Amino acid sequence: MARMIKIFDTTLRDGEQSPGASMNVEEKIMVAKQLARLGVDIIEAGFAYSSPGDFDAVHRIAQEVEGPTICSLARARPEDIDRAWEALKGAPKVRIHTFLSASDIHLKHQFRMTRDEAKKRAVEMVQRARSYVQDVEFSPMDASRADPNYLFEVVEAVIAAGAGTVNIPDTVGYAIPQEFGRLIRDIRQRVSNSHLAVISVHCHNDLGLAVANSLAAVMEGAGQVECTINGIGERAGNTSLEEIAMGLRTRRDLYEADTQIHTEEISKTSRLVSKITGMVVQPNKAIVGANAFAHASGIHQDGLLKDKTTYEIMRPESVGLVESKMVMGKLSGRHAFRQRLEDLGYKLTDEEVNHAFERFKKLADHKKEIYEEDLEVIVSEELAKMADRITLKSFRVMSGTDQVPTATVELEVDGKAVSQTGTGDGPVDAVYRTIAAITQTKSTLVMYVVKAITGGTDAQGEVSVRVQEDGKTVSGHGADTDIITASARAYLSALNKLAYLTAKQAQGEQKVNLI
């Protein structure tokens, strides 16, 4: 029997620390429900103390998402622990994850604490969390740069205090696989009570070694891996969940370990997170990149035609990559629409179905064939809508080889209809300049990406943008068979997120760079 490795997904917490990847509560709930379908063991839903928005997300996910254990991060401070419990209480499967640095670099320069003070605080906060919940995790932050002997002392002390999981973070992506694996082996051998806790790892990708370090740790007995979808996260990102899951599944003969991940849900989950965060997956990304199962070499193609195992170590179907098929059309009714969404794993309320169905019928008037990817876009956009300050009412564009592109745009801003005409270097630029003039935004557009969701000339185009203003970076996305409409939706999505973040800052919300 293969040893089962727990998958701790922190897409909603550490993944959200990627510049521009902030999500509203509805988007977080949508991702959390998909993570449950994916089969992760633990979802780190957020950092409840950091803001009312994060508290609400943790609380609602804990109440609404079935299956995984729901976790809230908390610094080693009483108020953080208490707030985490307030967000989690009443839910069936919960965990409090608290942390404090273990490296002298952090203790001296950031926390202004001695080793003894830090260890005492860690023990006290684990005990406090344990008074609320049975499932407590502790992370000695920057463990890969800590004095190993002191690290062993801290790990032993927090396990004795009640931590059932001890996570060893490579916070700045400093470790290499050989030394990180050795560190996990030393913890298991030299910490007398290490057998009483699950040893977890949380690796960052600054040197491109997050997955390699995590797999080295599994080889040495780690029982949990902390990761994110598409490897998103602080700086260069985190350990990629899909690479860990497929690495263990494909080389189970070597690792003698596996996960409970339903790998057929990987591609769908990757697309959802990419869409919501606006972080496009690079084409050569392992497992989920557009080229992951593409073969251009004639020698490779010849081998594949004879036997797929010649050049494919995984089947595309194993990660949910199957040929798109027509599932709906403009004559499809509401009942069939709801049933197809349920087949895809979406359980919607009557109101949510009505909104999504209205969008579906509009799309069906323009597209002869509606594919699963189209339905995923409809659901993700409709369910993730916040109380937008700015909505698109209509626009007209005049453009050609012999005239200056001109756009007339009508928006509703805070309930008031506003219309204006402007020009630009092209039709999209004209629409964007006009929207910027109406909203008087001071933001800068730093990214604009277009891709087709499915094939064909009537395919929906998906536009992702990223804008910056006053140190805040947000992403926006929109989809439509008309690329200018999709572009306008994406830009307005980003502007609404900026307004949302500005309102949160006005309420005193904070974000902290964490493990």
Side-chain angles (χ1 to χ4, degrees):
M1 290 291 291
R3 183 167 58 100
M4 300 309 294
I5 306 302
K6 293 184 178 181
I7 294 297
F8 178 110
D9 184 275
T10 185
T11 302
L12 299 177
R13 200 277 300 168
D14 201 327
E16 199 194 16
Q17 289 173 214
S18 303
S22 60
M23 304 175 231
N24 63 48
V25 174
E26 297 303 327
E27 289 170 331
K28 286 186 174 184
I29 292 172
M30 187 186 310
V31 171
K33 288 181 176 179
Q34 179 56 33
L35 291 173
R37 289 190 286 268
L38 181 63
V40 306
D41 298 281
I42 303 101
I43 296 174
E44 190 166 50
F47 175 23
Y49 183 82
S50 69
S51 70
D54 255 29
F55 178 92
D56 189 29
V58 173
H59 179 69
R60 286 191 57 189
I61 291 170
Q63 300 296 325
E64 297 178 26
V65 177
E66 299 178 358
T69 295
I70 308 302
C71 175
S72 174
L73 189 69
R75 291 168 295 185
R77 294 169 37 170
E79 58 268 35
D80 280 41
I81 304 290
D82 296 347
R83 189 67 169 159
W85 167 238
E86 290 175 22
L88 294 169
K89 65 183 177 183
K93 296 165 62 178
V94 297
R95 173 182 294 186
I96 293 177
H97 177 195
T98 188
F99 71 97
L100 184 63
S101 280
S103 72
D104 291 332
I105 296 173
H106 280 198
L107 292 178
K108 178 181 179 180
H109 299 293
Q110 181 180 5
F111 289 91
R112 307 288 198 271
M113 298 177 76
T114 67
R115 289 181 176 184
D116 287 342
E117 289 171 339
K119 184 170 75 171
K120 182 173 182 291
R121 171 78 67 83
V123 167
E124 290 173 347
M125 293 304 101
V126 167
Q127 291 173 333
R128 191 182 191 95
R130 193 70 170 75
S131 71
Y132 290 129
V133 298
Q134 295 290 315
D135 191 349
V136 175
E137 176 173 335
F138 179 80
S139 291
M141 187 162 63
D142 205 24
S144 58
R145 295 194 295 172
D147 177 349
N149 291 321
Y150 174 64
L151 178 64
F152 301 153
E153 289 180 25
V154 172
V155 171
E156 185 170 33
V158 296
I159 292 174
T165 302
V166 178
N167 178 54
I168 308 301
D170 182 26
T171 302
V172 293
Y174 181 72
I176 63 174
Q178 294 89 334
E179 68 175 343
F180 196 66
R182 184 170 60 247
L183 177 61
I184 301 304
R185 181 173 68 245
D186 289 346
I187 288 172
R188 295 185 67 238
Q189 291 177 350
R190 298 180 58 181
V191 175
S192 62
N193 56 0
S194 64
H195 62 287
L196 299 176
V198 174
I199 304 301
S200 173
V201 290
H202 178 119
C203 299
H204 279 261
N205 206 39
D206 298 69
L207 294 177
L209 296 171
V211 171
N213 283 332
S214 299
L215 291 173
V218 170
M219 289 285 284
E220 297 296 344
Q224 175 179 289
V225 176
E226 306 201 354
C227 40
T228 61
I229 301 300
N230 299 335
I232 66 173
E234 188 84 13
R235 304 184 311 280
N238 288 271
T239 301
S240 165
L241 183 151
E242 56 275 8
E243 293 178 31
I244 289 293
M246 293 309 296
L248 292 176
R249 184 72 49 87
T250 304
R251 294 308 311 274
R252 187 160 41 183
D253 60 316
L254 175 67
Y255 294 105
E256 297 181 347
D258 200 351
T259 72
Q260 301 282 5
I261 293 298
H262 306 308
T263 61
E264 295 79 9
E265 292 287 331
I266 283 177
S267 292
K268 182 193 295 186
T269 312
S270 171
R271 290 194 299 265
L272 177 64
V273 170
S274 177
K275 176 174 177 51
I276 286 178
T277 62
M279 300 189 72
V280 179
V281 176
Q282 67 192 60
N284 63 326
K285 167 74 168 65
I287 315 300
V288 293
N291 295 343
F293 294 92
H295 303 270
S297 164
I299 295 174
H300 285 213
Q301 291 172 347
D302 176 67
L304 283 168
L305 290 171
K306 293 172 179 174
D307 189 323
K308 289 187 179 296
T309 61
T310 54
Y311 289 101
E312 282 188 350
I313 61 172
M314 300 169 285
R315 294 181 302 106
E317 296 85 355
S318 69
V319 296
L321 287 174
V322 295
E323 184 179 354
S324 296
K325 58 182 179 180
M326 184 180 71
V327 292
M328 301 290 287
K330 67 179 183 179
L331 299 180
S332 300
R334 194 182 309 267
H335 178 76
F337 177 72
R338 179 195 287 271
Q339 184 60 53
R340 187 61 193 136
L341 292 183
E342 290 181 357
D343 292 342
L344 291 172
Y346 299 107
K347 295 182 179 178
L348 310 183
T349 65
D350 290 342
E351 183 179 2
E352 290 169 342
V353 169
N354 289 338
H355 284 298
F357 185 69
E358 182 179 348
R359 173 81 176 270
F360 161 75
K361 295 298 279 188
K362 289 180 180 178
L363 177 62
D365 283 337
H366 297 281
K367 283 196 69 173
K368 292 185 295 183
E369 300 176 343
I370 308 296
Y371 295 91
E372 289 182 3
E373 293 89 340
D374 295 315
L375 294 178
E376 288 174 9
V377 168
I378 290 172
V379 172
S380 62
E381 287 199 351
E382 290 302 313
L383 299 193
K385 284 184 177 178
M386 63 183 87
D388 290 344
R389 287 189 55 219
I390 313 162
T391 55
L392 178 68
K393 302 297 289 183
S394 66
F395 72 87
R396 295 192 309 278
V397 175
M398 296 178 63
S399 182
T401 57
D402 58 350
Q403 68 179 97
V404 176
T406 303
T408 300
V409 180
E410 183 182 3
L411 303 178
E412 187 174 288
V413 182
D414 293 328
K416 181 180 178 181
V418 185
S419 179
Q420 192 165 323
T421 299
T423 61
D425 292 333
V428 172
D429 187 54
V431 170
Y432 276 25
R433 288 176 182 270
T434 306
I435 290 174
I438 294 174
T439 60
Q440 298 184 332
T441 179
K442 301 296 189 293
S443 61
T444 301
L445 181 68
V446 296
M447 184 192 81
Y448 175 85
V449 177
V450 181
K451 67 175 183 178
I453 296 172
T454 56
T457 56
D458 64 348
Q460 283 197 94
E462 185 174 30
V463 176
S464 297
V465 302
R466 188 167 294 155
V467 300
Q468 290 179 342
E469 182 177 348
D470 296 333
K472 297 185 291 290
T473 303
V474 300
S475 62
H477 44 267
D480 198 87
T481 52
D482 184 305
I483 204 63
I484 302 176
T485 301
S487 299
R489 285 177 175 167
Y491 191 38
L492 290 173
S493 170
L495 294 182
N496 278 306
K497 285 187 178 181
L498 275 177
Y500 176 74
L501 288 180
T502 300
K504 287 208 300 183
Q505 283 190 346
Q507 297 170 6
E509 299 198 1
Q510 56 178 310
K511 280 291 179 189
V512 182
N513 293 339
L514 305 168
I515 63 172

